[in-house]
């Protein structure tokens, strides 16, 4: 696993760690079942505070990218299925919210397209 922290990047270090591990897990560079370094070990190797790495690990676990198995360590989870379930759940919640706001299908879809352009093309 190779991670690089760019101090000139506008993203905070924990987000850089989260994004890099997530991308490596999704691309297969970190295979399912790969054991990640301990929080302290990764923090030391990157020159970061342990709390920074712990925050990234918590976010990754919340996203279903990694799983902690107690004293056995932290491992890359089968993120594809978990990510797809999370995405479907978020989409369903969006549809329900759009309906409560009285938006029709075209307005709801236009809002999603705008958000995707802003998020992915930024």
């Amino acid at each position: 696993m190779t991670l690089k922290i760019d101090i000139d990047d506008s993203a905070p270090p924990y987000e850089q760690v989260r994004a890099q591990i997530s991308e490596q897990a999704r691309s297969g560079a970190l295979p399912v079942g790969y054991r990640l370094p301990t929080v302290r070990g990764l923090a030391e190797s990157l020159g970061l505070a342990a709390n920074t790495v712990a925050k990234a690990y918590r976010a990754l676990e919340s996203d279903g990218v990694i799983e902690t198995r107690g004293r056995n360590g932290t491992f890359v989870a089968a993120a594809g299925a978990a990510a797809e379930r999370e995405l479907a759940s978020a989409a369903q919640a969006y549809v329900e919210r759009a309906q409560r706001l009285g938006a029709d299908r075209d307005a709801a879809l236009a809002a999603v397209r705008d958000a995707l352009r802003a998020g992915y093309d930024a």
Side-chain angles (χ1 to χ4, degrees), residues 1-64:
M1 178 172 78
T2 304
L3 301 178
K4 294 180 183 169
I5 303 302
D6 181 359
I7 58 171
D8 296 324
D9 193 326
S10 63
Y14 86 89
E15 176 57 24
Q16 292 181 49
V17 171
R18 187 210 60 77
Q20 290 177 50
I21 291 174
S22 181
E23 176 55 34
Q24 290 180 33
R26 292 189 201 295
S27 73
L30 293 177
V32 171
Y34 177 85
R35 185 175 182 172
L36 296 170
T38 64
V39 167
R40 282 191 185 149
L42 185 57
E44 287 176 12
S45 72
L46 295 174
L48 297 173
N51 285 341
T52 300
V53 174
K55 186 174 182 179
Y57 274 23
R58 283 191 303 272
L60 288 162
E61 191 160 21
S62 175
D63 291 344

